[in-house]
Amino acid sequence: MTSRGAGTAFSRKNYRLSTEPEKSKVTGIVNSRLLNDYLHRVFTSADGNQPAAAYRKHLTFQNLQEHLERLLAEENGSEDSRDQVAEGRLGPSTVVLDHTSGFEGLLLVDDDLLGVIGHSNFGSIRATTCVYKGKWIYEVLISSQGLMQIGWCTLNCRFNQEEGVGDTPDSYAYDGNRVRKWNVTTTNYGKSWAAGDIVSCLIDLDEGTIAFCLNGISLGTAFDNITRGAGMAYFPAISLSFKESVAFNFGSRPLRYPLEGYRPLQDPPVADLVKARKLLGYLKNVIHIGIDVTEGKLVEKDTSMWQLQGEPTVLITLAHIFNYFSPLMCKVYLVEDVLMTFLLSILERGGAVEAHPLIQQLLDLMWLLMEEYEVHECLKQLLMSLLRAYRFSPIIPDLGLQIHYLRLTIAVLKHEKSRKYLLSNVLFDVLRSVVFFYIKSPLRVEEAGLQELIPTTWWPNRFTKEGKENKEVKEESAEERLRRRAYERGCQRLKKRIEVVESLQVQILKLLLNNKDRGGGEASRYIFLNKFRKFLQENASNRGNLAVLCPPEYMVCFLHRLIAALRYFWDGHKAKTPVSLSSEEAYVPPQLFYNGKVDYFDLQRLGGLLSHLKKTLKDDLAAKANIVIDPAELQAVTMDDLDEDEESATSAAQSQRPSAALAIGGALARPAWLSSPTLGRANRFLSTAAVSLMNPRRPLGTLEKIKVLTLRVEQRTREDIEGTHGNEGLSLGRPPEEPELPITENSLLEVLDGIVMMYNLSVHQQLGKMVGVSDDVNEYAMALKDTEEKISRCPKKRRDIHEELLKSQKVFSEKLNHLSRRLAWINVTIYSKEKMLDIYWLLRVCIRTIEHGDRTGSLFAFMPEFYLSVAMNSYSALKNYFSPVNSMEELPGYEETLMRLAAILAKHFADSRIVGTDIRDSLMQALASYVCYPHSLSAVERIPEEQRISMMKNLLAPYEQRPWAQTNWILVRLWRGCGFGYRYTRLPHLLKTKPEDASLPSLQKPCPSTLLQQHMADLLRRDRDLAPSFLNSVLNQLNWAFSEFIGMIQEIQQAAERLERNFVDSRQLKVCATCFDLSVSLLRVLEMTVTLAPEIFLDWNRPSSELLLRRLAQLLNQVLNRVTAERNLFDRVVNLRLPGLESVDHYPILVAVTGILVRLLVDTDVQG
C-alpha cells in the first residue's frame, strides 16, 4: 500500500522508528513504546478488551499487517457458513430481474437489472430466484403511481398484454393504484401508493400467507392458503403499464424496512459487513485518540475538530486501515450500511454543516489513501444511496429525514475535489441531481402529519353554482374568520418547515455554481454549465419520449432553486462590480442568440431555421455584430441540411415505428432516468414481440452533430464562456444598440437562458396541472354548500332523505378536510408568494430580453421562439394559477410590466421578422385574451399612440393574408358592450330553458375600448384603400362561414329524420356551432364598422360605397331568409336542442343583423 499525494511513499517494511525523545519532538515520529500503546488502543480485539501490557504482543508497523489480518479473521469462520445456499431458495445468489426469458411485453430494464420501465400496454417480468420454503421479503421502490400489480408468481404462470401478475392462478398481486389485491378475482385491499413510496412484499411459505407493507406499515394479510407443495416455488414478479416504473431491492442494498423473521431473497455480504464495521471502528479510534509527542502519552481528542496535521504515525496507521477498507467501499451494500450511516451520525449532533469539518477530513483521507477508481466508485455509490434515501423517505411533519440526507449531500459537495468529480461524472450523468431539488407532495396527508400541523381546515365559499367567482361575497361570519385564521397559521407552520428544506437545496446549487475553486482544473460552475446544457438538450430533443424526460414536477422545484442561487451570485457580482446590472434588471443580451457560443440545439428561431438565417442575414451579422461567416462553413451547413433531408426521406418508415421501437435508438443511448428509480443507464430493451430490435442498424445521430460556429457543450472552458483579454466569450458580437457596460458574468447569463428554456419545456404545463387540486376543492365546496341547503329545506317527515343528505354531507366534509390540507402543501411548495415572485421575475427578464432583441432590427430573427412563449405563458400563469392565493396586482411594478407586455404583443403579432405560424398564432391569442379584461385592456390603451395605431392597422389588414378568425375575435371583443343588444354575459335564449348552461367561458363581462374604436374609425376614414379591402374580406368570410353553417345543419336535419336515429358526430356539431359563432362575430364587426364609420357605406363620393352596401344588403337578406322563414330548416335544428349546439339560436344572429340595419337607417337619415 502506498500513500499518494503527500510527496512521500511509505513502504510497509521500511518504517524507521525513533527511540530518542528529542527526535520525536522535532519530527513527530514516536518511540516504540508509545507506538505500541497507540496501536493496541486503535486495533482492539472483537470483544473490546485489551490484554494486560505484560501479556500483549509488542506492535510495530512491521508486524501491524499480520496483527490486523488476524483481527479481521476473528469470528469469520462462523460467519462464512451464512454465505452458503439458504434452504428454501432456488436460483443465483445475486437476485436480479430475468431479462432473458422471464418477461412478457415491451420493457426497459436498467443495467443493474433491478429497475424496470413499462413500454407496452401491460408488460410483466419476474426475478431470477424463487422460494419454496421459509419466510421471505423484498422491496419495491415506487417511481410512478400508475397502474401496476406487484407480488409473486410461479413458473407456470403465463402472462400477456391484458393479463399480468394476479390475473392468473398461482399468482398474487397488490395494486396500490386501484387499492386492490388480485388473484384471478379482485377485492379492496391496502392503501393508495404514491411516487416515492416503498412496498414490502412478504411471503410465508410455512403458513401459506402473503402480505404487503407500505413504507414499513403493514397492510395486513392479503392472501392465505396459497398453493404449496412439490413443484410450487414463487418468484417475485410485477406487471406494469406504459411509462410506469419501479426498482427492486432483493437484498443487494440494506432493506429500508426489514421485518423480523423474514429474510431478503439475496443474502447480505455478512463477512464483508463484519470486516467493514471492524475497520470503521479502528478508524473511529484513530480519530478520537491523539498522540502527545511532547509528554509521551496518548490523549483523548474532540472528534468533531479532528485534523490529520501531517503526523506520520497517524498517517501510516490510516494507510494500513484503508488498505483493507478501500476495496470494501466499492460495494453498494457496504457504502449504504456502513459509510453513509457513519457520516450521517457525524451530522446528528446538530449545528451548521460547516461545524463538522470531520467529513471534509475523511474525504481528504479517501482521496489520499484509496486508489482513484476506488474513491470514484465509493463517491458514486454514496451519492446514489443518498439520493435513494432522500427520494424514498416518507414525509414526516418536520421533514427531518429529507433534511438529514440533504445536509450530508452538502457536506460531501463542500469537498472541492469530490464535488468536481461528482459533477463531471455522476451528477446529471448517472444520478440526475435534479432529484435533490424536489419536494414530493404527500398523497396521504394523515401519514405526513398534516392533521397535527394543520388541525383546522378551511376553504373559500366565493363561487357560484356555475363555478364562477362571486363578486358579491357575503361578509364572513365570526366562526368562518376563526377557522380561516387557524388554517392560515397552520399553513405558515408548514411553510417554515418546507423553507428549511428549500434553503438546503439552494445551498447545494450554490456549491455547484461556485466559480472560486482553489484547486486546479475548471471551476465547478463551468462543469455545471456544460452538464446543465446537455440536460436541457436531452429534454428539448426527446419531448416525445417520456422515458428520458425530467418529470415536470421535478423541473418546477429545480427552476425555483436555480433562480434563488442565480440571483444570489448575480447580486454578489453587482456588489463587487457596481457598473454591472442587479438581478432586478437582468436580461439575456441578443448576441447570445447568433454568436454561436450557446447551443440552442434544434429549437426554432423567430425567423426560421438557424442555417437559413445564417445565409440570409450574413451581411447584417457582419455589419451590426462584426461576425463574418466563412463561405465554406455556409456550404457545410447547406450540405448538412441536404444530408438530413435525405436521411429523413430514407428513414420515413423507421420514424413511423411505435413509440416503444423509437425508444431503442434514443433510450438505449440515454439513461431512462427518474422514470427509473435506480437512476442507472437503461441499456436493456426487452421485447417479446421484437427481439431483433435489440441492435438497431444505425444509431440516431441527431444529437452528435456539431453545429457550425458552435462548440460541443463538453468542450467549452472558462475562457470560452467568460472570455479573456481581447475575447468577449459569450458576449461576442455586441450590436451597436446594446450598452457597452457589462451586464454580469457571462456564465450567469447562460444559466439565466437555461432557466427560461426550462420554464418553456415543462414548468408551465405543471403549474397548470396542479391547479386541479384547487378546482377539486371548489367543486366539493359547492357540493357541500348545495347539500347543506337541501338539508335545511328537507321536510321533517322525510327522515330517509334527511339521513342520505347527512351521509353526503359527511363524505363531502371529509374529502374537503383532506383536500384543504393537501392544497396547503401545494400552495406552499408551488403557489406561494415567493414562487409567484420568481415567475414574475422571469416574466420581466423575458420582456427586457425581447425589448433589447427588438432594437437590433433584422437580428431579432435569431431569438429562439421560447422567449416569446415564456413571456406569454408566465403572465398567464400569474393571472390564472396563482391568483386564488396571491393577487397579481400586489406585485411590484405590475402596471408597468403589464403595459410593456401589451406593447410586445401589439407590435409582434404581425411582425414580419417572425415566420413561425405557431408562435404567431400564440401571439394573436394572447392579444385576444389581453383585450378581454379591463385591467389588461387599459394596459393596451396606455402603450404609445403610434404603436396603438399600428396595431389597429394590422388588425384591419385583409383577412385573406392570414388567419382571420382570431383577428376577428379581437375586433369583436373591442366592440362587445357597444353593439345593439350586445351587453349580455349569458346567452339570453338559454336563461329560461337551461340556466345551468347559461354561463359559457367565452362570454366575459363586456369591456369595450372606445379609444381603440376611435383609432379604427380614423384609419377607415383616412385610408380609402384600406376600408374596401378590409370590408370585402369580412364579407367574403361571412359568406363562407354562413354557407358552411347552413350546409351542416342540413346534414344534421337529415340525420335526425332517419328512422334508425343515427347519432350525429360530436365533432360535426362542434364545427357547426363554431361556424355559427363566426358568422355572428363577423356580423358584429360589420355593425362596428357601420357604427364607427357609416360614410364608408353611405358616402356616394367614395367609389366603393355603393358596391359595399349592395354586397352587405345581399348577405343580410340571405341571413334573414334562412333564419326567419316560418318552420324552416334553422327552426327545426334549433328545436332539436342537441348537446353542443346550445349557442345556435335566433337571438344572437338576428340581434346582430338588426344592429346593422338600425345603424344604416339612422345614419342614412342623418346624412340625408
Side-chain angles (χ1 to χ4, degrees), residues 924-1147:
M924 202 167 286
Q925 289 170 13
L927 183 60
S929 173
Y930 232 69
V931 299
C932 275
Y933 303 95
H935 213 82
S936 49
L937 179 60
S938 67
V940 177
E941 293 176 339
R942 291 198 307 274
I943 65 177
E945 183 178 0
E946 183 183 345
Q947 291 185 20
R948 292 199 304 268
I949 295 172
S950 175
M951 177 188 78
M952 293 307 299
K953 190 170 184 178
N954 287 323
L955 288 172
L956 296 175
Y959 281 5
E960 288 82 0
Q961 299 175 10
R962 58 200 161 83
W964 56 271
Q966 294 168 357
T967 307
N968 198 72
W969 286 124
I970 296 173
L971 293 174
V972 167
R973 284 165 179 171
L974 296 176
W975 179 243
R976 277 196 73 228
C978 294
F980 182 80
Y982 203 34
R983 293 170 180 81
Y984 53 83
T985 56
R986 299 181 181 183
L987 291 172
H989 63 278
L990 292 179
L991 285 174
K992 292 182 180 179
T993 57
K994 291 186 177 181
E996 68 276 7
D997 294 334
S999 180
L1000 296 178
S1002 59
L1003 296 178
Q1004 293 89 4
K1005 189 175 180 180
C1007 55
S1009 172
T1010 53
L1011 177 62
L1012 296 178
Q1013 289 175 20
Q1014 189 58 49
H1015 288 325
M1016 175 178 170
D1018 294 342
L1019 285 167
L1020 291 173
R1021 288 192 190 104
R1022 286 200 305 263
D1023 193 332
R1024 289 186 170 257
D1025 295 329
L1026 177 64
S1029 64
F1030 166 68
L1031 286 170
N1032 275 315
S1033 67
V1034 173
L1035 293 167
N1036 290 341
Q1037 300 301 341
L1038 175 60
N1039 184 40
W1040 172 85
F1042 191 72
S1043 299
E1044 285 291 311
F1045 168 70
I1046 295 299
M1048 286 185 182
I1049 63 173
Q1050 286 174 344
E1051 293 178 13
I1052 292 168
Q1053 173 64 20
Q1054 290 168 5
E1057 288 176 348
R1058 293 193 192 110
L1059 293 176
E1060 58 269 24
R1061 298 289 293 173
N1062 290 342
F1063 289 102
V1064 182
D1065 187 1
S1066 59
R1067 288 174 297 180
Q1068 186 180 5
L1069 293 174
K1070 187 175 181 181
V1071 173
C1072 178
T1074 302
C1075 286
F1076 180 79
D1077 292 339
L1078 283 173
S1079 302
V1080 172
S1081 68
L1082 287 161
L1083 285 167
R1084 287 296 183 179
V1085 170
L1086 288 170
E1087 179 194 19
M1088 179 183 182
T1089 310
V1090 169
T1091 306
L1092 295 175
E1095 58 269 30
I1096 296 173
F1097 292 95
L1098 303 175
D1099 183 359
W1100 303 115
N1101 294 322
R1102 289 174 171 260
S1104 58
S1105 295
E1106 185 178 356
L1107 178 62
L1108 288 172
L1109 187 59
R1110 183 179 290 114
R1111 286 199 66 192
L1112 177 62
Q1114 288 172 346
L1115 276 170
L1116 294 181
N1117 191 40
Q1118 180 186 346
V1119 171
L1120 291 171
N1121 284 337
R1122 291 287 189 176
V1123 175
T1124 60
E1126 188 175 352
R1127 301 182 66 181
N1128 63 6
L1129 175 67
F1130 187 85
D1131 273 345
R1132 291 198 295 272
V1133 172
V1134 168
N1135 291 330
L1136 290 173
R1137 298 296 177 192
L1138 296 173
L1141 291 185
E1142 291 87 357
S1143 62
V1144 177
D1145 196 82
H1146 298 80
Y1147 180 85

Side-chain angles (χ1 to χ4, degrees), residues 496-546:
K496 287 179 181 176
R497 296 184 180 188
I498 287 178
E499 281 175 348
V500 174
V501 177
E502 291 177 346
S503 66
L504 291 172
Q505 293 171 330
V506 173
Q507 279 187 51
I508 292 176
L509 273 172
K510 287 178 181 177
L511 290 169
L512 300 183
L513 286 171
N514 179 18
N515 67 337
K516 306 296 182 188
D517 292 335
R518 294 186 295 273
E522 288 291 333
S524 301
R525 179 184 296 178
Y526 306 105
I527 305 173
F528 172 84
L529 267 183
N530 293 337
K531 296 294 180 181
F532 180 49
R533 206 73 195 174
K534 200 171 180 182
F535 164 80
L536 292 173
Q537 181 178 13
E538 290 163 3
N539 280 274
S541 304
N542 290 293
R543 299 193 72 174
N545 188 357
L546 297 173

